[in-house]
Amino acid sequence: DHVYRLVVMDVCRPTAVLGVLSLGGMALLWRDISSKVKGENRTLSSLLSQYFAVKVVGWLGKRQRGKLEADTLNIRQVQEETLLKRLRKNADTCYGKQYDFSSIKDCEAFRTRHPVTTYEHYRELVTRVAAGEEKVLIAEKPLILAMTSGTSGASAMLLSTKDTNTEFFLQGVAVCLDAMRRAFPASDSLQRTTKLFYSPTFRQSEAGIPIGPNSSTPASSRHMLNLYTTPAPAFQVPSERDTLYLHLLFALKDPSVGTLESNFASTVFYAFSALQERWQELVEDIKLGRVSPVLTLEPGVRASLEGQMKPDPERATQLRTHFQQGFVGIVRRLWPQLNLVLAVDSGSNQIYGEMLRERYCQGIPFYSPFYAATEGLIGVNLWPEEERRRYLLCPRSMFCEFLPEASLDQETPEKHTLLMEEVQEGHSYELVVTNASGLFRYRMGDIVKVVGFHNQCPVVEFQYRRGQMLSVRGEKVSEVMFLGALKRAISQWPGAQLVDYCCAESAIMGESCGGSDPHYQVFVELKGVRNLTEEQRYKLDQCVQEDSAVYKSFRFKGSIGPMRVQMVAEGAFKELRKQMMAFSNTSPNTFKMHRVLRRKEYADFLLGKTI
């Protein structure tokens, strides 16, 4: 009996200690959770799942940031390792055997053997993959056949693999969340996020491989949906318009939203435009605790969503008061605890970011986290608080080469590419990439400017897409140059606010444009003015001449005719966006407005909307 009591005491002692430690651990855990800002009406399970998700991603982010910092100290070696990893993995494919990847031991051998390529080089190979042939370009079967957004030409179909997605999460998402929390400590909370994204329509290839966008979608984020204000059943709704209404409805219900998130600032801008049109309907739904009967919803989806609605006349009254005060600075009034807007607002999205900051989102920080494309992750923004959107290239995501801007039209571009350690600050280059999903020395069409270095690694700013350059006589006016001139001109048009714009070269418009000399047709949607005088319209031409000496000389000689500035009706660009998405089968998640129109139908559509 004495021995039995000693054994029991020995067994119970560690159990008791563990029990005390467990209770202590739970107390510390609960104290940590209680100290964070939380959303309203949260269950314990949803708080715990978000808490642990945030902790895991936070740990991953610190780890990946450390790896990235180490990689930037030895850029040549890291880039070579990245390249050889790609080549070894795909050495046994038809393509790998054609270029004898297995015998390539360094960067120079690869660059000597393999040409610089464009999409035409891969078109027939991708068609074979879509038909079900294995080991054509890559060793594994692609997850999806990813459609590009088609801003600089026809949409291309590229392969997307598990490696592409994994790298994007580890080297992109985790690192940027770490940078975000360092810059905005209040974002390390348990508030919900309103994420504006949509379920794209996928079609199937002959071999049953999904064809569609490879951006973040509700399906790819299914384990994270409990972190968002929009309930999961809303993502079963096929209509973008109805899904957007539901995003807004459930976001407005929650006054403690912490982050507004979307792939692009344009999506956020379109959401607030819709809110301005439909706020009365939304307020009525919140007051009555219903989902608008106007929405086309499956009975099961409607029942599930309405199960999460309760009449809230108090919140409805608050919202009505906020909306009646106007939409300037509305975001801060709707969600007083909002920490930031998380969306890419560089490149073609720059004007949407600027309009959001000037109007709806006054005083709210913006973070443009990534520089990415259908081809994969390119760079990360480690400086969230800076107004300039600059991105550190990710040396383990792709093997990068750089074609100097002066050599873009050379017949043998392979002779002119530089490596990461060879580029110069202040110079612009086209990116030439070798990625994880079957593109080798591929000209992306993106022109970037090197604005500095982080240790040995280039830091870049996006400049323009090659296909989005205006050039009727070889003058080459880039998107960034034209937008700068347009903004200066508009600042001299009293009361005018830019909503959207695009251009077309007169050659694609035929007889509809008038005038025999080559020229630019410019379509602008403005607020605050009903018309523009001829003098105001000519101001834009003058501003472009100030920025481009070549354009100015052609205008002086009469080789280029005067710019024709057309003001279009309200909502014209909204309708154009729908047309473009329908034509290119692009998802709202990945759509980017074309700044230079290459299809006559689009230009004619806007011409028909001219005021």
Side-chain angles (χ1 to χ4, degrees):
D1 184 51
H2 176 64
V3 171
Y4 173 75
R5 282 202 309 275
L6 286 174
V7 170
V8 170
M9 284 172 68
D10 284 339
V11 170
C12 288
R13 246 187 231 112
T15 307
V17 170
L18 282 172
V20 170
L21 287 173
S22 296
L23 286 170
M26 285 300 289
L28 287 171
L29 174 67
W30 187 247
R31 192 170 77 177
D32 195 19
I33 290 173
S34 301
S35 70
K36 294 181 183 294
V37 178
K38 294 173 283 295
E40 296 191 355
N41 303 319
R42 300 293 300 276
T43 63
L44 178 60
S45 64
S46 77
L47 279 174
L48 284 172
S49 66
Q50 183 170 355
Y51 178 82
F52 287 118
V54 166
K55 286 293 181 190
V56 169
V57 174
W59 173 80
L60 262 179
K62 285 179 186 171
R63 179 170 163 266
Q64 290 299 129
R65 175 69 180 266
K67 285 185 173 183
L68 176 61
E69 294 288 349
D71 285 344
T72 62
L73 294 168
N74 193 1
I75 211 70
R76 183 175 179 85
Q77 181 183 325
V78 169
Q79 276 277 277
E80 190 155 270
E81 286 172 3
T82 302
L83 172 66
L84 295 177
K85 179 182 174 185
R86 307 281 183 252
L87 300 182
R88 280 195 295 269
K89 184 163 186 178
N90 298 306
D92 200 32
T93 62
C94 297
Y95 193 84
K97 289 173 181 174
Q98 179 185 343
Y99 288 98
D100 196 13
F101 283 174
S102 60
S103 71
I104 294 174
K105 305 298 183 209
D106 57 38
C107 297
E108 290 314 312
F110 173 65
R111 294 166 78 201
T112 302
R113 183 172 306 171
H114 196 288
V116 168
T117 61
T118 62
Y119 185 67
E120 285 307 311
H121 181 83
Y122 302 94
R123 189 182 297 278
E124 185 265 331
L125 297 166
V126 172
T127 302
R128 285 164 57 187
V129 174
E133 189 176 339
E134 295 183 357
K135 293 194 171 183
V136 178
L137 271 168
I138 55 174
E140 74 267 49
K141 185 178 177 180
L143 294 177
I144 64 168
L145 298 168
M147 299 301 296
T148 63
S149 58
T151 46
S152 54
S155 290
M157 188 159 60
L158 304 176
L159 312 184
S160 185
T161 64
K162 186 179 177 183
D163 282 354
T164 313
N165 291 357
T166 302
E167 283 168 5
F168 189 87
F169 179 75
L170 291 177
Q171 297 182 43
V173 175
V175 169
C176 287
L177 287 177
D178 179 68
M180 183 180 85
R181 292 202 174 94
R182 292 184 193 201
F184 309 110
S187 66
D188 187 17
S189 70
L190 295 177
Q191 296 162 271
R192 286 193 193 274
T193 292
T194 292
K195 180 157 184 177
L196 300 167
F197 61 164
Y198 303 88
S199 295
T201 303
F202 285 90
R203 52 197 173 93
Q204 302 285 313
S205 77
E206 302 160 64
I209 304 169
I211 301 173
N214 71 340
S215 65
S216 170
T217 65
S220 66
S221 308
R222 60 191 177 278
H223 302 304
M224 307 286 281
L225 292 182
N226 66 320
L227 308 183
Y228 304 137
T229 51
T230 309
F235 297 111
Q236 298 171 38
V237 178
S239 156
E240 180 198 347
R241 179 178 166 83
D242 288 350
T243 306
L244 175 54
Y245 186 92
L246 294 168
H247 278 313
L248 294 171
L249 178 65
F250 285 94
L252 290 172
K253 261 173 51 69
D254 185 351
S256 58
V257 170
T259 304
L260 284 178
E261 180 182 351
S262 190
N263 287 350
F264 299 120
S266 57
T267 313
V268 183
F269 178 76
Y270 293 133
F272 281 105
S273 299
L275 178 61
Q276 199 160 350
E277 289 172 15
R278 305 187 73 178
W279 69 265
Q280 289 171 310
E281 194 180 345
L282 288 155
V283 167
E284 193 66 12
D285 280 357
I286 288 169
K287 177 184 172 183
L288 300 175
R290 68 170 191 189
V291 174
S292 172
V294 174
L295 272 56
T296 305
L297 305 176
E298 293 287 332
V301 170
R302 181 175 286 280
S304 180
L305 292 171
E306 292 199 326
Q308 301 192 45
M309 295 290 294
K310 290 178 183 173
D312 194 347
E314 185 182 346
R315 177 63 175 160
T317 302
Q318 280 177 3
L319 291 169
R320 189 178 300 279
T321 302
H322 295 323
F323 290 130
Q324 287 172 343
Q325 289 170 356
F327 277 78
V328 175
I330 187 72
V331 169
R332 179 62 79 201
R333 298 199 301 276
L334 295 176
W335 301 292
Q337 295 172 302
L338 191 80
N339 300 305
L340 77 156
V341 176
L342 184 62
V344 172
D345 63 356
S346 52
S348 60
N349 276 272
Q350 181 185 334
I351 64 167
Y352 303 112
E354 289 172 356
M355 288 189 291
L356 285 166
R357 283 188 286 273
E358 287 168 10
R359 186 165 175 77
Y360 304 113
C361 301
Q362 283 187 356
I364 309 289
F366 275 63
Y367 177 31
S368 183
F370 314 117
Y371 172 23
T374 308
E375 293 83 354
L377 176 69
I378 302 164
V380 288
N381 179 0
L382 298 184
W383 306 275
E385 292 171 293
E386 289 189 10
E387 281 188 29
R388 284 177 69 189
R389 302 314 190 206
R390 54 196 185 107
Y391 302 91
L392 175 70
L393 296 178
C394 296
R396 287 200 188 272
S397 178
M398 300 184 185
F399 173 68
C400 292
E401 297 172 73
F402 303 82
L403 186 60
E405 197 173 26
S407 304
L408 295 183
D409 298 322
Q410 295 285 342
E411 288 185 12
T412 52
E414 37 278 294
K415 293 181 180 178
H416 301 275
T417 63
L418 303 173
L419 299 178
M420 271 197 190
E421 68 273 16
E422 296 171 332
V423 296
Q424 294 181 357
E425 186 173 342
H427 290 232
S428 293
Y429 306 88
E430 180 180 356
L431 283 173
V432 178
V433 301
T434 297
N435 72 357
S437 47
L439 296 175
F440 303 92
R441 303 197 78 194
Y442 177 71
R443 292 182 70 167
M444 280 188 61
D446 281 13
I447 312 300
V448 298
K449 183 177 183 179
V450 176
V451 294
F453 291 85
H454 184 73
N455 296 325
Q456 298 174 7
C457 193
V459 177
V460 303
E461 283 180 358
F462 176 84
Q463 297 296 293
Y464 60 92
R465 294 275 299 156
R466 273 190 79 200
Q468 291 284 281
M469 178 93 77
L470 285 163
S471 189
V472 294
R473 291 284 194 195
E475 69 282 5
K476 296 181 181 175
V477 173
S478 71
E479 180 182 330
V480 70
M481 183 188 289
F482 186 85
L483 178 57
L486 178 62
K487 283 158 65 176
R488 282 208 319 284
I490 290 173
S491 72
Q492 298 172 65
W493 299 344
Q497 290 180 301
L498 179 65
V499 174
D500 224 326
Y501 83 97
C502 65
C503 311
E505 295 166 359
S506 56
I508 75 151
M509 302 191 68
E511 295 177 8
S512 60
C513 70
S516 55
D517 291 330
H519 61 272
Y520 304 162
Q521 285 274 354
V522 182
F523 301 97
V524 290
E525 185 176 333
L526 301 170
K527 275 186 179 176
V529 292
R530 292 186 176 183
N531 204 350
L532 295 172
T533 66
E534 283 305 314
E535 187 182 349
Q536 286 174 323
R537 292 169 198 255
Y538 184 60
K539 183 60 70 177
L540 175 56
D541 197 304
Q542 287 179 313
C543 288
V544 175
Q545 289 185 48
E546 288 167 12
D547 289 351
S548 171
V550 181
Y551 178 79
K552 183 176 182 177
S553 71
F554 280 127
R555 285 285 292 112
F556 180 75
K557 294 173 191 170
S559 306
I560 295 179
M563 207 177 283
R564 286 171 170 76
V565 180
Q566 312 282 5
M567 192 168 157
V568 299
E570 183 180 350
F573 277 87
K574 207 171 181 179
E575 291 181 52
L576 179 65
R577 174 176 174 267
K578 287 179 187 172
Q579 281 200 19
M580 288 176 164
M581 284 197 296
F583 177 79
S584 62
N585 203 27
T586 306
S587 154
N589 300 327
T590 57
F591 177 79
K592 287 177 252 178
M593 178 56 70
H594 305 195
R595 296 300 172 206
V596 178
L597 301 178
R598 299 297 181 195
R599 293 186 62 81
K600 186 175 187 296
E601 299 93 313
Y602 297 153
D604 285 344
F605 169 80
L606 287 177
L607 213 51
K609 295 288 181 181
T610 300
I611 297 172

